Amino acid sequence: MRSYSLIAPGKINLYLEIIGDRPDGYHQLVMILQSIELADKIELRPNGTDSIRVYCNNPQVPSDETNLAYKAAKLMQQQFPEIAANYGGIDITIDKQIPVAAGLAGGSTDGAAVLVGIDLMWDLGLTKPELETLAAQLGSDIPFCVRGGTAIATGRGEILESIQNLDDIWVVLAKYRNLSVSTGWAYQTYRQKFEDDYIKEENEFQNRHQEIHSGPLVKAIIDQNHQKIGNLLYNDLEKVVLPEHPQVNELRSALINTGGLGTMMSGSGPTVFCLCESKAQAEEIKHKVQDLMANPELDFWITKLSSNGIQVAESS
Ligand code: ATP
C-alpha cells in the first residue's frame, strides 16, 4: 500500500453573514470562502497495526481522537469497514503551518486532507461530491476545504457553489501568538446579542442567499475588481470578537490605516487579514504594522489567494 503526502490549504472568509438559527443548533450562514496558499502538510502511512495514530509538530494540536484528522480516518473506517480491515491502521503526520484556533480552518483542512488521502490509499475512487458529502458529516467548513478556490457557502457552510477563482491577490495575515478564539463561543455570543434580528422564515433565507448571490461582492469577484472586493469585505462575527479583544480591533485599525485593498477578521478570528495588490505591497504593510504595534507577540504571514483545495504532493 502506498503512502501519500497532501497539501492542505487554509481559508479566509471574504464574507460572513449570520442570517438565522437552525433546528440542529447551528446557524444559517451566507459566506464567501476563499482558499489561501498557507497550508499544512499531511502524510499518511500504513502502520501495520489496527490503530489510527496522529503526530503533529505543534503541541497546541491534540494528537488524540479529538483531532479532526483522526476523526476523518475513523469516519472512513466506519464507512468502509471491510476495506479498512484489509488495509489496517494509519499513521497521520501533520506538519502544522496554519496558526491554530485562528479562524483559518486549520483543523478542518487537515480532516479534508485525510478524507482525500484515504480515498487514494484504499483505491476507493470516490467522486468529489461523494467526498464532500462525507466531509459535511465531519464539520461545516470541511467540504469547502476538500474543494478549495472561491465559493459561496450557505446552510451551515456546507452547501457550496464555486464562483470565479481569485488567485492573483496577496494577503498579509496577522495574529497575536497567544490569543485564540473558540468558534463555538463566538457564535453563541452572537446569538445572545443579535437573536432578535434573525430571519425566521425559510423563504426569507432563500431571498437573502439570492441577494448575496447577485450582490456587489460576487459581481466584483466575477469582474476581478480587486479594489471593490477589498471595499466589500464583511464579517458579522467582528461584532462580538472585536469588543471582547480590543487588541484585535487595534491591529485591524493599524492594517486599515496602512493601506492595502481591504482588511477584515477571518471567520471567528482572531486572525486579521489584509488583501494586497502585490507581494511588495504585502511586505511593506507587514513591516509598517510590525513597527507601529511593536509587539513581539504579534506574528505575520504573507501568502496569496489560491484556487486549490486538497492537493497530492507526492506518493510513494
Ligand atoms: P475554524 O475556522 O474551522 O472554526 P479555526 O481555524 O478557528 O477553525 P482550528 O485551527 O481548526 O481553528 O483549531 C480549533 C481547535 O480544534 C483547536 O484548538 C484544537 O484543539 C482542535 N483541533 C482538532 N484537530 C485539529 C487539527 N488537526 N489542527 C488544529 N487544531 C485542531
mmCIF file with all atom_site columns, all heavy atoms in Angstrom, residues 241-254:
data_model
loop_
_atom_site.group_PDB
_atom_site.id
_atom_site.type_symbol
_atom_site.label_atom_id
_atom_site.label_alt_id
_atom_site.label_comp_id
_atom_site.label_asym_id
_atom_site.label_entity_id
_atom_site.label_seq_id
_atom_site.pdbx_PDB_ins_code
_atom_site.Cartn_x
_atom_site.Cartn_y
_atom_site.Cartn_z
_atom_site.occupancy
_atom_site.B_iso_or_equiv
_atom_site.pdbx_formal_charge
_atom_site.auth_seq_id
_atom_site.auth_comp_id
_atom_site.auth_asym_id
_atom_site.auth_atom_id
_atom_site.pdbx_PDB_model_num
ATOM 1   N N   . VAL A 1 241 ? -16.343 39.610 18.491 1.00 0.00 ? 241 VAL A N   1
ATOM 2   C CA  . VAL A 1 241 ? -14.930 39.341 18.822 1.00 0.00 ? 241 VAL A CA  1
ATOM 3   C C   . VAL A 1 241 ? -14.160 40.643 19.081 1.00 0.00 ? 241 VAL A C   1
ATOM 4   O O   . VAL A 1 241 ? -13.365 40.719 20.019 1.00 0.00 ? 241 VAL A O   1
ATOM 5   C CB  . VAL A 1 241 ? -14.242 38.489 17.714 1.00 0.00 ? 241 VAL A CB  1
ATOM 6   C CG1 . VAL A 1 241 ? -12.776 38.272 18.032 1.00 0.00 ? 241 VAL A CG1 1
ATOM 7   C CG2 . VAL A 1 241 ? -14.956 37.145 17.554 1.00 0.00 ? 241 VAL A CG2 1
ATOM 8   N N   . LEU A 1 242 ? -14.416 41.685 18.289 1.00 0.00 ? 242 LEU A N   1
ATOM 9   C CA  . LEU A 1 242 ? -13.626 42.917 18.452 1.00 0.00 ? 242 LEU A CA  1
ATOM 10  C C   . LEU A 1 242 ? -13.878 43.609 19.804 1.00 0.00 ? 242 LEU A C   1
ATOM 11  O O   . LEU A 1 242 ? -12.920 44.026 20.458 1.00 0.00 ? 242 LEU A O   1
ATOM 12  C CB  . LEU A 1 242 ? -13.848 43.883 17.278 1.00 0.00 ? 242 LEU A CB  1
ATOM 13  C CG  . LEU A 1 242 ? -13.417 43.350 15.898 1.00 0.00 ? 242 LEU A CG  1
ATOM 14  C CD1 . LEU A 1 242 ? -13.585 44.426 14.826 1.00 0.00 ? 242 LEU A CD1 1
ATOM 15  C CD2 . LEU A 1 242 ? -11.980 42.844 15.901 1.00 0.00 ? 242 LEU A CD2 1
ATOM 16  N N   . PRO A 1 243 ? -15.138 43.722 20.278 1.00 0.00 ? 243 PRO A N   1
ATOM 17  C CA  . PRO A 1 243 ? -15.326 44.333 21.599 1.00 0.00 ? 243 PRO A CA  1
ATOM 18  C C   . PRO A 1 243 ? -14.680 43.518 22.726 1.00 0.00 ? 243 PRO A C   1
ATOM 19  O O   . PRO A 1 243 ? -14.226 44.061 23.718 1.00 0.00 ? 243 PRO A O   1
ATOM 20  C CB  . PRO A 1 243 ? -16.855 44.364 21.786 1.00 0.00 ? 243 PRO A CB  1
ATOM 21  C CG  . PRO A 1 243 ? -17.417 44.180 20.424 1.00 0.00 ? 243 PRO A CG  1
ATOM 22  C CD  . PRO A 1 243 ? -16.420 43.412 19.627 1.00 0.00 ? 243 PRO A CD  1
ATOM 23  N N   . GLU A 1 244 ? -14.645 42.184 22.571 1.00 0.00 ? 244 GLU A N   1
ATOM 24  C CA  . GLU A 1 244 ? -14.068 41.317 23.606 1.00 0.00 ? 244 GLU A CA  1
ATOM 25  C C   . GLU A 1 244 ? -12.528 41.393 23.595 1.00 0.00 ? 244 GLU A C   1
ATOM 26  O O   . GLU A 1 244 ? -11.892 41.216 24.624 1.00 0.00 ? 244 GLU A O   1
ATOM 27  C CB  . GLU A 1 244 ? -14.531 39.869 23.331 1.00 0.00 ? 244 GLU A CB  1
ATOM 28  C CG  . GLU A 1 244 ? -14.077 38.824 24.312 1.00 0.00 ? 244 GLU A CG  1
ATOM 29  C CD  . GLU A 1 244 ? -14.826 38.893 25.646 1.00 0.00 ? 244 GLU A CD  1
ATOM 30  O OE1 . GLU A 1 244 ? -15.874 39.571 25.722 1.00 0.00 ? 244 GLU A OE1 1
ATOM 31  O OE2 . GLU A 1 244 ? -14.329 38.264 26.607 1.00 0.00 ? 244 GLU A OE2 1
ATOM 32  N N   . HIS A 1 245 ? -11.948 41.626 22.426 1.00 0.00 ? 245 HIS A N   1
ATOM 33  C CA  . HIS A 1 245 ? -10.487 41.629 22.281 1.00 0.00 ? 245 HIS A CA  1
ATOM 34  C C   . HIS A 1 245 ? -10.041 42.941 21.635 1.00 0.00 ? 245 HIS A C   1
ATOM 35  O O   . HIS A 1 245 ? -9.765  42.982 20.428 1.00 0.00 ? 245 HIS A O   1
ATOM 36  C CB  . HIS A 1 245 ? -10.032 40.441 21.416 1.00 0.00 ? 245 HIS A CB  1
ATOM 37  C CG  . HIS A 1 245 ? -10.397 39.106 22.006 1.00 0.00 ? 245 HIS A CG  1
ATOM 38  N ND1 . HIS A 1 245 ? -9.766  38.593 23.124 1.00 0.00 ? 245 HIS A ND1 1
ATOM 39  C CD2 . HIS A 1 245 ? -11.323 38.197 21.644 1.00 0.00 ? 245 HIS A CD2 1
ATOM 40  C CE1 . HIS A 1 245 ? -10.288 37.419 23.417 1.00 0.00 ? 245 HIS A CE1 1
ATOM 41  N NE2 . HIS A 1 245 ? -11.244 37.155 22.545 1.00 0.00 ? 245 HIS A NE2 1
ATOM 42  N N   . PRO A 1 246 ? -9.946  44.029 22.431 1.00 0.00 ? 246 PRO A N   1
ATOM 43  C CA  . PRO A 1 246 ? -9.606  45.340 21.863 1.00 0.00 ? 246 PRO A CA  1
ATOM 44  C C   . PRO A 1 246 ? -8.288  45.348 21.087 1.00 0.00 ? 246 PRO A C   1
ATOM 45  O O   . PRO A 1 246 ? -8.137  46.106 20.132 1.00 0.00 ? 246 PRO A O   1
ATOM 46  C CB  . PRO A 1 246 ? -9.516  46.254 23.090 1.00 0.00 ? 246 PRO A CB  1
ATOM 47  C CG  . PRO A 1 246 ? -10.188 45.521 24.187 1.00 0.00 ? 246 PRO A CG  1
ATOM 48  C CD  . PRO A 1 246 ? -10.161 44.073 23.882 1.00 0.00 ? 246 PRO A CD  1
ATOM 49  N N   . GLN A 1 247 ? -7.346  44.454 21.466 1.00 0.00 ? 247 GLN A N   1
ATOM 50  C CA  . GLN A 1 247 ? -6.064  44.471 20.741 1.00 0.00 ? 247 GLN A CA  1
ATOM 51  C C   . GLN A 1 247 ? -6.229  44.000 19.293 1.00 0.00 ? 247 GLN A C   1
ATOM 52  O O   . GLN A 1 247 ? -5.481  44.414 18.415 1.00 0.00 ? 247 GLN A O   1
ATOM 53  C CB  . GLN A 1 247 ? -4.964  43.674 21.481 1.00 0.00 ? 247 GLN A CB  1
ATOM 54  C CG  . GLN A 1 247 ? -5.113  42.167 21.518 1.00 0.00 ? 247 GLN A CG  1
ATOM 55  C CD  . GLN A 1 247 ? -5.950  41.684 22.687 1.00 0.00 ? 247 GLN A CD  1
ATOM 56  O OE1 . GLN A 1 247 ? -7.034  42.211 22.979 1.00 0.00 ? 247 GLN A OE1 1
ATOM 57  N NE2 . GLN A 1 247 ? -5.471  40.652 23.358 1.00 0.00 ? 247 GLN A NE2 1
ATOM 58  N N   . VAL A 1 248 ? -7.260  43.147 19.053 1.00 0.00 ? 248 VAL A N   1
ATOM 59  C CA  . VAL A 1 248 ? -7.520  42.715 17.669 1.00 0.00 ? 248 VAL A CA  1
ATOM 60  C C   . VAL A 1 248 ? -8.102  43.895 16.881 1.00 0.00 ? 248 VAL A C   1
ATOM 61  O O   . VAL A 1 248 ? -7.768  44.116 15.714 1.00 0.00 ? 248 VAL A O   1
ATOM 62  C CB  . VAL A 1 248 ? -8.475  41.493 17.632 1.00 0.00 ? 248 VAL A CB  1
ATOM 63  C CG1 . VAL A 1 248 ? -8.773  41.057 16.205 1.00 0.00 ? 248 VAL A CG1 1
ATOM 64  C CG2 . VAL A 1 248 ? -7.895  40.337 18.434 1.00 0.00 ? 248 VAL A CG2 1
ATOM 65  N N   . ASN A 1 249 ? -8.938  44.664 17.561 1.00 0.00 ? 249 ASN A N   1
ATOM 66  C CA  . ASN A 1 249 ? -9.515  45.857 16.935 1.00 0.00 ? 249 ASN A CA  1
ATOM 67  C C   . ASN A 1 249 ? -8.420  46.860 16.562 1.00 0.00 ? 249 ASN A C   1
ATOM 68  O O   . ASN A 1 249 ? -8.414  47.426 15.464 1.00 0.00 ? 249 ASN A O   1
ATOM 69  C CB  . ASN A 1 249 ? -10.525 46.491 17.896 1.00 0.00 ? 249 ASN A CB  1
ATOM 70  C CG  . ASN A 1 249 ? -11.491 47.397 17.180 1.00 0.00 ? 249 ASN A CG  1
ATOM 71  O OD1 . ASN A 1 249 ? -11.622 47.330 15.954 1.00 0.00 ? 249 ASN A OD1 1
ATOM 72  N ND2 . ASN A 1 249 ? -12.136 48.268 17.923 1.00 0.00 ? 249 ASN A ND2 1
ATOM 73  N N   . GLU A 1 250 ? -7.448  47.039 17.488 1.00 0.00 ? 250 GLU A N   1
ATOM 74  C CA  . GLU A 1 250 ? -6.334  47.974 17.211 1.00 0.00 ? 250 GLU A CA  1
ATOM 75  C C   . GLU A 1 250 ? -5.498  47.482 16.033 1.00 0.00 ? 250 GLU A C   1
ATOM 76  O O   . GLU A 1 250 ? -5.094  48.264 15.173 1.00 0.00 ? 250 GLU A O   1
ATOM 77  C CB  . GLU A 1 250 ? -5.418  48.083 18.433 1.00 0.00 ? 250 GLU A CB  1
ATOM 78  C CG  . GLU A 1 250 ? -5.962  48.985 19.517 1.00 0.00 ? 250 GLU A CG  1
ATOM 79  C CD  . GLU A 1 250 ? -5.199  48.799 20.821 1.00 0.00 ? 250 GLU A CD  1
ATOM 80  O OE1 . GLU A 1 250 ? -3.986  48.513 20.791 1.00 0.00 ? 250 GLU A OE1 1
ATOM 81  O OE2 . GLU A 1 250 ? -5.854  48.908 21.881 1.00 0.00 ? 250 GLU A OE2 1
ATOM 82  N N   . LEU A 1 251 ? -5.267  46.174 16.002 1.00 0.00 ? 251 LEU A N   1
ATOM 83  C CA  . LEU A 1 251 ? -4.497  45.586 14.901 1.00 0.00 ? 251 LEU A CA  1
ATOM 84  C C   . LEU A 1 251 ? -5.221  45.802 13.575 1.00 0.00 ? 251 LEU A C   1
ATOM 85  O O   . LEU A 1 251 ? -4.615  46.183 12.557 1.00 0.00 ? 251 LEU A O   1
ATOM 86  C CB  . LEU A 1 251 ? -4.316  44.087 15.189 1.00 0.00 ? 251 LEU A CB  1
ATOM 87  C CG  . LEU A 1 251 ? -3.706  43.222 14.104 1.00 0.00 ? 251 LEU A CG  1
ATOM 88  C CD1 . LEU A 1 251 ? -2.301  43.700 13.758 1.00 0.00 ? 251 LEU A CD1 1
ATOM 89  C CD2 . LEU A 1 251 ? -3.651  41.760 14.573 1.00 0.00 ? 251 LEU A CD2 1
ATOM 90  N N   . ARG A 1 252 ? -6.521  45.608 13.607 1.00 0.00 ? 252 ARG A N   1
ATOM 91  C CA  . ARG A 1 252 ? -7.347  45.797 12.411 1.00 0.00 ? 252 ARG A CA  1
ATOM 92  C C   . ARG A 1 252 ? -7.240  47.251 11.931 1.00 0.00 ? 252 ARG A C   1
ATOM 93  O O   . ARG A 1 252 ? -7.045  47.513 10.744 1.00 0.00 ? 252 ARG A O   1
ATOM 94  C CB  . ARG A 1 252 ? -8.790  45.430 12.759 1.00 0.00 ? 252 ARG A CB  1
ATOM 95  C CG  . ARG A 1 252 ? -9.762  45.466 11.629 1.00 0.00 ? 252 ARG A CG  1
ATOM 96  C CD  . ARG A 1 252 ? -11.142 45.133 12.170 1.00 0.00 ? 252 ARG A CD  1
ATOM 97  N NE  . ARG A 1 252 ? -12.152 45.123 11.131 1.00 0.00 ? 252 ARG A NE  1
ATOM 98  C CZ  . ARG A 1 252 ? -12.720 46.195 10.641 1.00 0.00 ? 252 ARG A CZ  1
ATOM 99  N NH1 . ARG A 1 252 ? -12.376 47.392 11.076 1.00 0.00 ? 252 ARG A NH1 1
ATOM 100 N NH2 . ARG A 1 252 ? -13.643 46.089 9.692  1.00 0.00 ? 252 ARG A NH2 1
ATOM 101 N N   . SER A 1 253 ? -7.344  48.200 12.878 1.00 0.00 ? 253 SER A N   1
ATOM 102 C CA  . SER A 1 253 ? -7.264  49.617 12.506 1.00 0.00 ? 253 SER A CA  1
ATOM 103 C C   . SER A 1 253 ? -5.893  49.943 11.926 1.00 0.00 ? 253 SER A C   1
ATOM 104 O O   . SER A 1 253 ? -5.787  50.681 10.941 1.00 0.00 ? 253 SER A O   1
ATOM 105 C CB  . SER A 1 253 ? -7.488  50.517 13.723 1.00 0.00 ? 253 SER A CB  1
ATOM 106 O OG  . SER A 1 253 ? -8.734  50.231 14.267 1.00 0.00 ? 253 SER A OG  1
ATOM 107 N N   . ALA A 1 254 ? -4.833  49.364 12.529 1.00 0.00 ? 254 ALA A N   1
ATOM 108 C CA  . ALA A 1 254 ? -3.473  49.637 12.029 1.00 0.00 ? 254 ALA A CA  1
ATOM 109 C C   . ALA A 1 254 ? -3.350  49.149 10.586 1.00 0.00 ? 254 ALA A C   1
ATOM 110 O O   . ALA A 1 254 ? -2.802  49.846 9.728  1.00 0.00 ? 254 ALA A O   1
ATOM 111 C CB  . ALA A 1 254 ? -2.448  48.948 12.918 1.00 0.00 ? 254 ALA A CB  1
#
